[in-house]
Amino acid sequence: MSHKGADKADLLTEDLKHRNETRHAPRTPRDAASLLLIDRSQPTPRVLVGKRGKKHAFMPDLYVFPGGRRDPGDNKTEFAWPLREEVQGKLLERTSSRFNPNAARGLAVAAAREMLEEAHLSLTPAEYAGSLRPDVSNFRFLARAITPPGMPRRYDTRFFACFTDETCADLSALKDSDELHDLNWLEIDRHEDFPLPRITKVILTDLCQAMAEDRSLPFGRAVSFYYFRNGRFVRELI
């Protein structure tokens, strides 16, 4: 693990230590996906975030990327355009034998579906209007993070990234939902003082560093993987 990677993992570990939360019995993480929808029309790219309600059991009253768990039907949903091979290949790495290509594609569908449900932005091309058949061909696999034991909800979340100008999304349709309100376009390098979960700040730091290296976000780049081991967070690259 690099020095910078160790710093990010240490931030997550310290954040967990200082939380005043009730610890819960161990549970198996559920597969989930989030999409970082990036507007690069300005000098500083911006990413879409929305605020979760105070009554949410998981990350209440904080701003997050649109996303949620993978539902059983997501694995069977057809694509308008599928994931690139290098992205699907990365999704299959560091997974159990039960995690198959259909589960990987289901994660991309989940990210697109949650974007529609939580922000009213459809990634389904016009010729398939009225259905969920997203174009995920420009999804990058940016990062992966597993919620540590003891949390009220545990997720194995894959963070995808995509530029707005690569999608068919009508940004004028952007609207609050029951799940997310106060939707905002947040400049990616000005997130430290914004009310975000620590993991969201860490993922945005990964995004900033990746775009500093190559603003196009190459599809086959290494993926940050954050998980809890022996009492602390670890960051590895997939």
Side-chain angles (χ1 to χ4, degrees), residues 200-215:
T200 304
K201 294 181 179 182
V202 166
I203 300 301
L204 281 173
T205 300
D206 279 331
L207 176 63
C208 287
Q209 291 174 351
M211 293 194 70
E213 295 169 5
D214 189 332
R215 286 179 66 89

Side-chain angles (χ1 to χ4, degrees), residues 166-226:
E166 297 175 328
T167 75
C168 59
D170 176 7
L171 299 185
S172 68
L174 182 66
K175 186 172 63 173
D176 291 358
S177 66
D178 292 339
E179 292 294 318
L180 291 182
H181 63 277
D182 194 27
L183 291 161
N184 271 275
W185 292 99
L186 177 66
E187 292 186 341
I188 65 172
D189 61 353
R190 297 186 179 178
H191 58 266
E192 194 54 45
D193 295 326
F194 207 75
L196 304 164
R198 175 54 62 182
I199 185 59
T200 304
K201 294 181 179 182
V202 166
I203 300 301
L204 281 173
T205 300
D206 279 331
L207 176 63
C208 287
Q209 291 174 351
M211 293 194 70
E213 295 169 5
D214 189 332
R215 286 179 66 89
S216 72
L217 285 181
F219 290 90
R221 65 180 305 279
V223 175
S224 296
F225 180 21
Y226 300 93

Side-chain angles (χ1 to χ4, degrees), residues 103-169:
R105 67 193 304 279
L107 286 168
V109 170
R113 176 179 52 74
E114 292 285 347
M115 181 62 70
L116 176 61
E117 293 175 357
E118 296 187 337
H120 297 94
L121 294 181
S122 174
L123 303 181
T124 297
E127 57 264 39
Y128 302 113
S131 64
L132 176 65
R133 192 164 180 170
D135 175 359
V136 299
S137 60
N138 287 306
F139 278 20
R140 285 84 164 161
F141 183 19
L142 179 68
R144 178 182 175 188
I146 300 178
T147 312
M151 296 293 101
R153 302 282 189 276
R154 293 193 71 202
Y155 297 103
D156 186 346
T157 304
R158 280 69 162 193
F159 294 88
F160 295 99
C162 186
F163 296 109
T164 56
D165 56 53
E166 297 175 328
T167 75
C168 59

